[in-house]
Structures are given as structure tokens and as C-alpha cells.
Amino acid sequence: MSSARNSDSDTQQTLAPPVLKHTLHQEQSSVLSLATHRDWIFSGSQGQDIYVWDRKSFVLKTSLRGHTEGVLALELAPAKNWLFSSSGDRTVRIWSTVDLAPLYVINPYLEAEAGDLFSLAYSPVLDTLYIGCQNTSLQWINLSKPDVKSGSQTPPSGSLTPKWHRFFDSFPQAERKPPGEDSPNLTKTLLSLRRDSRPSVITRTTATLQITAQNTIDSAHFGYMYCMALTPSPLEVSDDEAREDGAIELVTGSGDETVKVWSCSEKGVTWVHTFSGCDGGVLSLVARNGTIYAGCQGGHVKVYDLDTRTLVRTIMMPDNSDILSLSMIDTDLYTSSASGWVRRWSAHCDCTSSWQAHEGIILSSVITHDESRSDGFILATGANDNAIRVRNVEIAPPTQNSNLGPPEHLLPEPNVVTHLYVDDTLVRGLHDFVQFPSVSSLPENREDCRQAAIWLRKFLTQLGAEASLVPTQDGLNPLVLATFRGSEGKRKKSRILFYGHYDVIPAPKEGWDSDPFDAVGTNGYIYGRGVTDNKGPILAAACAASNLLRHRKLDLDLVMLIEGEEEAGSMGFAEAVKANKELIGAIDVVFISNSYWIGETTPCITYGLRGVVQANVEIRSHRPDLHSGVEGGAIQEPMLDMIRLLGTLSDSDKIRVPEFYDNVRPMQNEERELYELLSKVTQRPAASLASKWREPALSVHNISVSGPGNATVIPSSVKAQVSLRLVPDQNIEVVSQHLVDYMHQSFSKLNSCHTLDVSIERTADWWLGNLKSCWFKALEQAVLDEWGVRPLRIREGGSIPSIPFLEKELNCGALHLPMGQSSDQAHLPNERISLANLKKGKSVMERFLVAVSQFQD
């Protein structure tokens, strides 16, 4: 398994596609733009005309003619009974929606040099029309007292030859061909209409309005201005309310991959903010209730919060096709893609429905009230298949709040295996994440590790982070670096780094009750390799930040640094961090969640880890392997030397390496009282806990031999692996050197004819958190508030090399919050994590992030 499924057939959809009400066919002409009126549906064609369809009968009423190139945008001014249209002919025209007659022609500043007029937005409050131009200028005209210029224009008559358009005449994205004269959608090869074959055309002499230089911002973007929207939205289906200060803002999107916000008033237009990093040109926009949705090339929808000026989420299309149109009712977002698919998304950015609406590229869409149904709406989409599809749509019922978890009737019954509750972003994400057998120690799983990193980057992006892959060394798995950016305020934001790892250890199926790489819910637990170590905690932290971001409560930056080699010794991690410190940025505290409670019911906070020195010891003979029946007793044997050498490392209760205990920190009364408390809770002797957590230790892990290893062979080479666990305040470099020196000294006393090699394979420093820091106190309070019980302060006998390394490299402290229970079976068959622990771990993270965001500089 190298990738998780990601297609429309596999997305969790809860609503059926809407019913197709009617199909309208334009005469061999792409539908570039749409607008709806109480009586009419207006469709802007590539063949220069605006088709007018009767809303009730769906009959073509007439066509409005005057433009000489494709009609790129349509906009209504209902109170004035006006329709605005902009075109590739460098003009905007105003039409009456009462008698369907032309009223005015608006010439942009610099006229022909303005280029194609891609986008329009009309503010009824300011009675101003805004225009996005190909020459990257933003222009506007106040229509309350239009300055009518001398002269007039009469719409042309007769058949017109349509021109190829570089933006709308193109091949589907999948064909990877540039648009050109041989494009399959080329209008001039399709359109052969005669004037007398069309319905009647209303013509009238029109007055001309001119936009001045004072109403123009040159180079408003560094690319074509494809789309714009006003906020609060004046559209009829919008539930936006006017702001208390009466402010009106214009949002513009461009091929320069930015979204810009402009303040609009009677005095003109002023730049306010730029959202950058849209991962492709911005082709469509919709704004509602202080939120901007930007449809981009490559199938991304960027979701921005206007109040906090932050990226909230990123929605990604399964087919990666460009999003040329967006529409919205209530909290339901409809994305129309170049693939011909329409998808409906909930307020939680879940795809609730999808369908193929057209055989071609969808270029336009609009939602309006359905006059035949009091609470109904219609969605009209237009494409380069020359069709307009009209569908009945409803406001979707509210989905289950993902923060609350499954409703009670979906919780697992005793002794029942269930599928995971898929409407929960956290649990659904964990289910997908576990599918990747990201085993870092096995070469055959290298691609699975890479695919897991790619999936995680995409998932974090969807949650609202700015995410990327950071290479390490050749042949090693990449880091995933993501940042959830909080609201900008007057004071400096805190920056927290969450460290985790997406790699796992092997999971042979023997001993498992289910597929280790298919997360299964049973009796309130999720089973699967990596659910507790460390994929579950990673996603819990990410979902916590995303939830705060979505509710505009994230007032700090959460940086997530997730490696893919932790289970294989974190090779390349330190070097990659050092090389990318500028990219990571300044950090105030490091946060880890990669361990377990001491029991099953009481939450814990880990504040200490032992360090480790791992050494390889080898004793070699100059002879080959020999037969013990031939040479036994006549020669010195490497195995006996190894046994004697290892025996010199310790006696009954002490490690004999010189100066080993000199710097061990004595136990203070406060710590002694803590062990007594833990002893009562765990029913384990306090001395036993102390010996495992805060006292150094020696272990011999294995002895291996050359040759076949049977009982008749004297091996010529014997190897052993030895480790020392270190505690505060032992110096890891000093202890490592003393170990090597002592073993050589001890070996020399054996008067052996053999050769000894001692090498330090790996080291990790000890770590001790600061229990008096404001960060630790905030975390302890967050656990107390969520669980209703004060967490136990615990230490662990193991080592996590990255914690002390990150502390030193980033010059900050660290915190360690275990989410799993002692029975989670990490590294063992049937690894699991409690669903309650996972969700409460997410909630603890949310509480902590909110609390520390209030810290003063």
C-alpha cells in the first residue's frame, strides 16, 4: 500500500446529488458567465451575445447584442433594474432588466490598453461598479450621477465572427496542452449562426460613460484580475449583515497567486491586506460572513478569515482540477471545476455531495432563490459544452459537530467491532494515516514512508496550515514542516513547536486481532500500528490548532515538525533542523506527545527522561572459526574474553565505570514526596519508580557470534551491544569516553591475544523539564480543566533524543504531554489508543494554546 485513496467515490458524502431541473443549450457557444434575475437567467456567451432565458418556462426570450467579443462577467443591480456585462472588447455595457434594452457603454481608463475586463462587482450601498482588468488595474465608477459623454454607440447588427480567447478556449487540464488555434473548444470553428435564426434582438442607441485616472489603481496585482467579490455580500442569497462601522471591502483574486482586500468608500479604494501563497492563480472568489473562499488553479480552495487576516483551511479537490467558479448558500460552498464536477462542502469543509455536471470545463455558476419553492434554491452552472444545467438545491442540514465526537448511538457497544465514525475529522484522518505502512527501518517501505509524508502535508494544508516537505539526507525520509498561523495582533505572538514522527516500527500480523494497517474501532479503542506512537497525537494537535483557527481563537503560531526516521534513530534529523532553522523560525517552547500514562485512569504530564549511551563491543581473534572438539582448551576464546570483560562493568548494585556517579543529581525532598504519592496511586514501591526513572542503569542487550552459531564452533569474533542510561547531571560526552577507556583498560588486564573494538553507536541526552515555568503550569491547568483531576507528574526511563536536542538548538524549554494509557501496547501487537484519550488530548491542546496565547512578551 503506497497511497491512501482520494477520489469522489471514496469521500464521505452524506447528501445525494441535487436533482437536475432543466438543461439550456446555447447555440454552439461556451457559457462564460451567468446572472439570475427574478424573471430571467442571463448567460454570457463566447459568441459576444448575452442570452436571456425565461426563469419559469426556460425558453430563450431574446439575446442582448452589443459586445464584439466574449462576455466574461455579468453583474446585477436589482434596485436599478440594471444588468452589467464586461467583455474582451474592453467595454462594460449596462442593460435594462425591465425592457432588456441597452442603456450605457462604460469605457475603462486607457480604453483598449485596459485589455479584457475579466471581473465585475457592484455595491448598491455606494452605487459603484468595480472592474478587474487584464492590464492588472483595478477601476471603478460611481453611477449615482453618471458623467455621460458626448456621442453615442449603436449595437452592431448582422452575424459576427467570434474570436479565440486565450483563457476560456483551452484544452482540459489533464491533456496538458496549451490553448491555441486548434483548441477543441475554439468558438470560431463551432459557431456558424445567422442573425435571422435567433430570437428578436433589442437594440437602442446608448450613451457612453468614461472611467477616469482618479478612479484607477494601476498594477493592483501582478497578474490578470480574474475575479472579485464584495463583503458584506450584496447578493440576494447572502445572509451577510452590514458591519457596525458600515465598512465595505472589495476582495480581488489574480493570476499572481494572491488575494487582496481593499477598503471601499465614496472617496475611492484603498489597499488593506494581501493574502499570498495561493498555490496557483486565483480564478474564483466568494465572500460570506467575514470569510473568503478563493478557488485556485490545481484544485485548491483557500479559506481566509477577514477579521484575523489568517488562512483558516485549504480544501483540496480529489482530481486537482482548476476551480473556475464558486457559489454559496448559507454555509454550503459549491465548487465548480474544470473537470466538469461540482462538489458541495459543509461548514467543516467536508465534501457532502459531488456529481459530474458537465462534459466540459465549468466556467460559471450562480445560486438564486427558486420562486416555485418558498425555501428552495436553484444552482445554475455553465460550461464549454455549450450547456447550462439548472438544479434544485437545498440548504444542507447541519452536520454533527466534529468537536463533540460521535453521537451516543454510534459509540461502540461492548464486545462489538465497529467502523470508525467517519464524520470526525480527527478519527477519519487517523484511519487514513494508519493505512500507510511507514516503517522507516525497512527499505521495502521507503516509498510508503514518502507517501505518508505527502499525505500528512496535504492533510495539514487542508486543516489550514502552510505545509511543506523538507529533505534530509539522500535515502532518508523527509520532514513535514507546517505552520498554523494565528491572528495578527499588536503584540508579538508566541510560537510553539510541536515535534512528532510519522514513521512506525514493523508490525508482523502474528499476534494482531486485526490488520495492523487498517485502523479498527473496538470497545472505545482504536487499534492499528502507530495510533498511539505517534500518528494519533500528531493529528490531535493539528486538529486542535485547526479548530481554534476556524473559530478565530488561535492567537499564536503552532509550528509542526514531524520527522520520518525516529524509529530508526532519527538519522539526518539534527542536520536538517540546523540547516532549516531560518525556515522554522524563532520558537518559545517545544511540545511533545510521545509517551504514556503510568496507569489507566489518571492523566499525567511527563517532565523527565533518561539519556542513553549505546556502545558496540567486538572482540576478534586472528584465527578463523574453529571446532571446539579439536581446539577447545588449547586456545584463548573470544567468547570467554567477552564474558569476562562485560563482567567488569558492574558488580551487584553499582556500575564500575570511573566517575560514573560523580554528577548524579541528589534527590530532593519535593521529589521524594512525589514518588511517595505515585507509589500510593500505582501500588508500586517508590524505590522501584525512582530506580527506573531517575537513577542511571547498565544493560547488555545481546551477544552475537561469527560462524553458524552452533554448539561445536568456537567463534573467531564476538559482538555485544551495551547501553548506559544517564540522568541529570551526567555529561554524555564524558561518560561515553570513560566507558570506552574503562573497557580498554579492563581488557588489557585480561592479557588476551585478541583485539578489542569499542564504538559509540548512538547517544541521547537526558531531559528534565522546568516544573515552575509558566508553560508547564499552563499545561497542568489545561489537563486539570479538561479531565477534572490534577495530572500526575511522572518521569520515564526511556530516551527521546529530539527533546534535549531541540531545546538546545532552539534555545527554549520543552513540554511533554502523554495522551496514551499504560496499556496502549506501543511497539507490540494490538497497539491501540482510547478514543476518549485522543479526543480529550485534542481538547487539552486547545485549552493550552488558548491559555499561552495570553502570555505577555
Side-chain angles (χ1 to χ4, degrees):
M1 184 190 308
S2 62
S3 63
R5 297 177 298 176
N6 191 13
S7 65
D8 282 284
S9 61
D10 294 315
T11 54
Q12 299 299 330
Q13 299 178 11
T14 58
L15 300 173
V19 176
L20 179 63
K21 187 172 185 177
H22 211 87
T23 298
L24 309 176
H25 287 284
Q26 290 190 170
E27 297 185 51
Q28 303 182 29
S29 181
S30 298
V31 183
L32 306 187
S33 52
L34 287 168
T36 56
H37 177 268
R38 64 178 179 274
D39 298 320
W40 319 112
I41 297 175
F42 298 102
S43 59
S45 73
Q46 196 165 0
Q48 303 127 4
D49 291 357
I50 302 170
Y51 290 85
V52 184
W53 308 85
D54 188 287
R55 276 277 297 267
K56 295 180 180 178
S57 64
F58 296 109
V59 172
L60 181 61
K61 172 69 175 178
T62 186
S63 60
L64 309 181
R65 303 180 58 203
H67 288 295
T68 58
E69 290 198 24
V71 181
L72 305 180
L74 294 172
E75 182 82 352
L76 285 167
K80 286 179 171 288
N81 294 316
W82 284 2
L83 170 71
F84 303 100
S85 60
S86 66
S87 169
D89 65 6
R90 285 73 167 167
T91 67
V92 175
R93 292 180 178 266
I94 304 178
W95 314 82
S96 168
T97 58
V98 177
D99 59 11
L100 302 177
L103 300 175
Y104 299 98
V105 174
I106 302 176
N107 288 324
Y109 175 62
L110 298 180
E111 299 191 5
E113 292 185 20
D116 297 356
L117 308 183
F118 282 115
S119 51
L120 297 172
Y122 172 72
S123 169
V125 176
L126 299 173
D127 199 9
T128 299
L129 181 69
Y130 302 91
I131 306 166
C133 306
Q134 182 184 354
N135 72 347
T136 73
S137 68
L138 171 60
Q139 304 189 22
W140 63 95
I141 183 170
N142 185 278
L143 298 167
S144 57
K145 296 180 180 179
D147 182 15
V148 181
K149 302 297 180 182
S150 60
S152 62
Q153 296 184 4
T154 302
S157 60
S159 178
L160 297 171
T161 302
K163 299 180 181 179
W164 165 79
H165 195 279
R166 61 187 162 276
F167 181 67
F168 294 103
D169 275 327
S170 60
F171 291 87
Q173 185 186 36
E175 297 189 25
R176 302 293 182 185
K177 297 180 181 179
E181 298 298 325
D182 60 343
S183 296
N185 308 315
L186 190 59
T187 309
K188 73 178 186 180
T189 65
L190 298 176
L191 186 58
S192 57
L193 303 176
R194 296 187 309 173
R195 184 184 176 205
D196 58 6
S197 68
R198 307 180 192 181
S200 60
V201 178
I202 299 174
T203 64
R204 177 190 293 172
T205 300
T206 55
T208 302
L209 309 178
Q210 181 67 47
I211 298 178
T212 63
Q214 289 73 23
N215 285 14
T216 301
I217 297 177
D218 293 318
S219 300
H221 281 271
F222 294 102
Y224 298 167
M225 205 176 307
Y226 290 127
C227 50
M228 56 176 53
L230 285 164
T231 178
S233 173
L235 299 180
E236 62 162 335
V237 294
S238 171
D239 58 354
D240 273 9
E241 296 181 357
R243 300 185 185 181
E244 293 182 1
D245 58 2
I248 295 175
E249 291 181 321
L250 176 70
V251 184
T252 57
S254 168
D256 63 5
E257 304 188 5
T258 68
V259 173
K260 292 191 175 182
V261 183
W262 312 82
S263 175
C264 302
S265 67
E266 294 178 353
K267 296 180 180 180
V269 176
T270 305
W271 173 85
V272 175
H273 186 75
T274 298
F275 295 104
S276 58
C278 289
D279 301 325
V282 182
L283 308 178
S284 52
L285 283 168
V286 65
R288 291 289 191 281
N289 298 313
T291 303
I292 300 170
Y293 302 85
C296 307
Q297 290 176 311
H300 295 109
V301 176
K302 297 291 183 178
V303 185
Y304 298 103
D305 176 52
L306 265 174
D307 293 332
T308 60
R309 313 297 191 202
T310 55
L311 175 68
V312 177
R313 293 287 284 270
T314 298
I315 306 172
M316 302 174 70
M317 301 303 108
D319 53 12
N320 299 319
S321 59
D322 300 347
I323 301 168
L324 296 169
S325 187
L326 295 171
S327 297
M328 196 166 192
I329 50 171
D330 195 51
T331 59
D332 291 336
L333 176 70
Y334 291 79
T335 59
S336 299
S337 300
S339 62
W341 280 76
V342 176
R343 297 176 178 86
R344 173 168 43 198
W345 304 85
S346 72
H348 297 298
C349 299
D350 294 322
C351 185
T352 58
S353 186
S354 63
W355 64 94
Q356 186 167 8
H358 293 268
E359 295 301 322
I361 300 171
I362 303 179
L363 301 169
S364 52
S365 67
V366 65
I367 290 181
T368 186
H369 289 287
D370 187 348
E371 301 298 331
S372 64
R373 299 179 299 148
S374 60
D375 58 349
F377 298 84
I378 60 171
L379 167 68
T381 55
N384 68 350
D385 60 3
N386 313 325
I388 302 168
R389 310 282 189 195
V390 182
R391 285 178 164 81
N392 292 327
V393 293
E394 313 287 344
I395 295 177
T399 58
Q400 178 71 29
N401 187 335
S402 63
N403 300 317
L404 300 179
E408 288 187 11
H409 69 278
L410 290 179
L411 287 173
E413 296 292 332
N415 303 316
V416 175
V417 177
T418 69
H419 292 291
L420 298 179
Y421 182 64
V422 294
D423 282 347
D424 185 299
T425 301
L426 171 56
V427 178
R428 185 172 67 246
L430 183 56
H431 177 272
D432 294 341
F433 202 8
V434 169
Q435 290 186 59
F436 296 96
S438 49
V439 181
S440 56
S441 61
L442 299 179
E444 59 265 31
N445 290 113
R446 184 65 60 192
E447 178 61 18
D448 296 303
C449 292
R450 190 180 75 87
Q451 290 297 329
I454 293 172
W455 178 93
L456 181 59
R457 176 186 62 79
K458 290 182 178 180
F459 185 79
L460 296 176
T461 300
Q462 288 177 315
L463 292 181
E466 299 170 8
S468 61
L469 298 184
V470 178
T472 53
Q473 299 175 7
D474 290 343
L476 297 180
N477 296 320
L479 306 177
V480 180
L481 178 64
T483 302
F484 290 92
R485 298 198 183 278
S487 307
E488 297 292 342
K490 295 182 179 180
R491 57 187 177 84
K492 181 182 177 182
K493 292 184 294 183
S494 297
R495 302 190 82 245
I496 297 174
L497 185 140
F498 181 95
Y499 163 81
H501 65 92
Y502 62 83
D503 64 318
V504 298
I505 70 161
K509 292 189 176 181
E510 293 77 16
W512 284 82
D513 295 332
S514 58
D515 185 340
F517 295 108
D518 183 13
V520 173
T522 304
N523 296 342
Y525 287 88
I526 304 172
Y527 288 81
R529 175 60 83 223
V531 292
T532 192
D533 182 21
N534 183 231
K535 294 180 176 181
I538 290 172
L539 298 194
C543 288
S546 177
N547 191 48
L548 292 176
L549 191 63
R550 188 168 67 246
H551 290 90
R552 286 68 167 167
K553 294 181 179 180
L554 186 66
D555 295 323
L556 49 71
D557 290 348
L558 179 68
V559 180
M560 301 197 72
L561 184 63
I562 314 299
E563 69 159 308
E565 296 284 349
E566 196 271 348
E567 299 291 6
S570 294
M571 293 182 293
F573 177 74
E575 294 79 2
V577 170
K578 292 177 180 179
N580 292 278
K581 282 183 69 174
E582 185 174 343
L583 188 61
I584 295 170
I587 298 297
D588 295 302
V589 71
V590 175
F591 197 107
I592 302 97
S593 182
N594 194 19
S595 62
Y596 318 96
W597 295 355
I598 195 174
E600 298 295 299
T601 59
T602 307
C604 302
I605 296 179
T606 302
Y607 72 94
L609 297 166
R610 291 193 294 190
V612 66
V613 174
Q614 292 181 340
N616 292 326
V617 183
E618 182 180 9
I619 298 177
R620 297 190 309 274
S621 169
H622 60 280
R623 305 183 185 91
D625 295 339
L626 300 173
H627 195 294
S628 62
V630 177
E631 300 292 344
I635 61 169
Q636 286 185 310
E637 298 186 16
M639 176 63 80
L640 295 177
D641 284 352
M642 178 66 76
I643 294 172
R644 295 187 186 101
L645 177 63
L646 295 177
T648 66
L649 290 175
S650 68
D651 51 29
S652 59
D653 59 351
K654 289 290 183 181
I655 298 168
R656 299 178 65 180
V657 174
E659 303 177 16
F660 185 72
Y661 293 97
D662 287 4
N663 294 315
V664 174
R665 186 180 301 183
M667 184 184 297
Q668 303 297 320
N669 289 333
E670 184 178 358
E671 186 181 0
R672 188 173 289 105
E673 291 173 359
L674 177 60
Y675 283 113
E676 292 298 333
L677 172 63
L678 292 174
S679 176
K680 295 177 182 178
V681 173
T682 62
Q683 300 300 307
R684 303 177 192 175
S688 173
L689 295 174
S691 65
K692 293 193 300 181
W693 292 353
R694 60 107 52 226
E695 294 177 7
L698 165 73
S699 297
V700 177
H701 301 286
N702 58 64
I703 297 178
S704 60
V705 298
S706 59
N710 60 36
T712 62
V713 174
I714 299 174
S716 64
S717 172
V718 180
K719 298 179 181 179
Q721 287 186 314
V722 176
S723 74
L724 293 171
R725 293 289 174 175
L726 308 186
V727 297
D729 291 304
Q730 291 178 295
N731 185 290
I732 197 166
E733 288 80 13
V734 172
V735 170
S736 298
Q737 189 60 52
H738 283 180
L739 172 65
V740 174
D741 293 344
Y742 178 73
M743 295 196 77
H744 278 287
Q745 293 169 8
S746 299
F747 185 73
S748 65
K749 295 177 181 179
L750 300 179
N751 297 317
S752 174
C753 62
H754 302 136
T755 301
L756 170 69
D757 286 328
V758 182
S759 62
I760 303 301
E761 179 184 21
R762 186 173 76 96
T763 63
D765 214 343
W766 52 267
W767 170 72
L768 198 62
N770 182 1
L771 302 184
K772 297 181 180 179
S773 75
C774 59
W775 302 98
F776 183 88
K777 291 178 180 178
L779 179 58
E780 198 168 44
Q781 187 63 46
V783 175
L784 172 60
D785 291 342
E786 180 63 30
W787 285 94
V789 59
R790 186 166 295 280
L792 299 174
R793 298 176 176 183
I794 65 172
R795 290 166 67 167
E796 288 199 2
S799 306
I800 301 179
S802 300
I803 298 180
F805 164 74
L806 289 172
E807 273 194 331
K808 294 176 182 178
E809 193 65 30
L810 301 177
N811 192 29
C812 63
L815 301 168
H816 193 172
L817 174 71
M819 291 190 189
Q821 298 165 305
S822 60
S823 60
D824 275 3
Q825 297 280 101
H827 288 204
L828 300 174
N830 294 324
E831 179 181 346
R832 69 180 190 175
I833 191 170
S834 163
L835 186 59
N837 277 46
L838 189 66
K839 289 180 174 294
K840 282 188 174 291
K842 169 179 171 286
S843 297
V844 168
M845 193 73 185
E846 287 185 31
R847 292 178 185 273
F848 171 75
L849 294 177
V850 170
V852 300
S853 66
Q854 306 304 315
F855 287 177
Q856 300 297 319
D857 296 342

